Amino acid sequence: MESTALDDARIGAAHRAALRSIGRVVEETAEPTPPGEALEGIAGMLEAGPALALTGAGVSTDSGIPDYRGPRGSLRNHRPMTYQEFRHDEAASHRYWARSFVGWRLMNRALPNRVHYALAELEQEGRLSGVVTQNVDGLHARAGSRRLVTLHGDLETIVCLHCGAVEDRTHLDLRLRELNPGYLESVELDPSQVNPDGDVELTEDRVERFRMAGCLACGSRLLKPDVVYFGEPVPPARKAAGSRMLADSASVLVAGSSLAVMSGLRIVLDALRQGKPVAVVNGGPGRADARVSYLWRTPVAPAFDALLDRLDL
């Protein structure tokens, strides 16, 4: 009984910490660099040696995937589920899967935009050592980025939390369709309401109608996208891969991220401790803005168009 109480206390504390991270408000702390100066400075960084690109949701908004904290970010209308809710509340995980079953197909149809392609081109030309992304949409890989660390995982892979078995999301979707005939056709979906984690709002009656599939190996319904939820640590192997990529880089270029969560901010702090310059290209404020060499406050896509032109690429 005492052990259970301690476990519950730990779960509750981790959940509350995750809620604080979700609710973090990022405000302006620095004066942006004049656009022309920012362009020249970032181009100079890339010419001096390959940079590590650290990307967030802002690089995927032009693909129709909303960000969390931008002016139209999903946090204004939707709170992501914490790992503790998903893992320890059966009703919560069922609700997630009902909503994700509907929303995932829109995420799956999303295509890379010109920022993803620009980053792939910069890597191909030797201007980037690689990309560490906080996004789970798979668009960097589709655009051709080769040296890529998906810090928070990828929605394309499903893992069983009971036995560890792995399944492709497309295969799971086929099984869910068989279990839920006519379900998708009964939902009128507004594409603008899909959240960055791939789910959508559904009424309670639709959630109750949904039937969840079990693990192919052990039958457990405790299946989870292989992504890092709020309140869940980044796997050590991914942290180590990001650190190795940083070691191979002369600088860091942050694109489309407020760095509101520590997993991304830590990379910037490590770069600064190593004396490497850092630049930020983002449409809104970020946690590292006051520490970086160049702060280009701009929509991400036109900035990368200008950067490629400046580098004659």
Side-chain angles (χ1 to χ4, degrees), residues 20-36:
R20 289 194 294 274
S21 179
I22 292 170
R24 180 176 289 117
V25 175
V26 182
E27 298 178 339
E28 292 284 4
T29 58
E31 187 71 24
T33 308

Side-chain angles (χ1 to χ4, degrees), residues 7 24 73 84 97 100 124 128 131 156 172 183 209 222 232 261 272:
D7 288 343
R24 180 176 289 117
Q84 289 70 35
W97 277 113
S100 181
Q124 184 177 352
L128 292 183
V131 175
E156 291 292 328
L172 174 63
Y183 190 92
R209 281 174 44 210
L222 202 52
E232 183 180 9
V261 295
L272 293 172

Side-chain angles (χ1 to χ4, degrees), residues 16-69:
R16 290 189 294 274
L19 292 180
R20 289 194 294 274
S21 179
I22 292 170
R24 180 176 289 117
V25 175
V26 182
E27 298 178 339
E28 292 284 4
T29 58
E31 187 71 24
T33 308
E37 181 182 336
L39 173 60
E40 288 300 317
I42 294 171
M45 278 174 40
L46 297 178
E47 290 171 334
L52 168 62
L54 173 59
T55 70
V59 306
S60 292
T61 53
D62 281 1
S63 295
I65 299 173
D67 59 11
Y68 279 114
R69 290 180 169 82

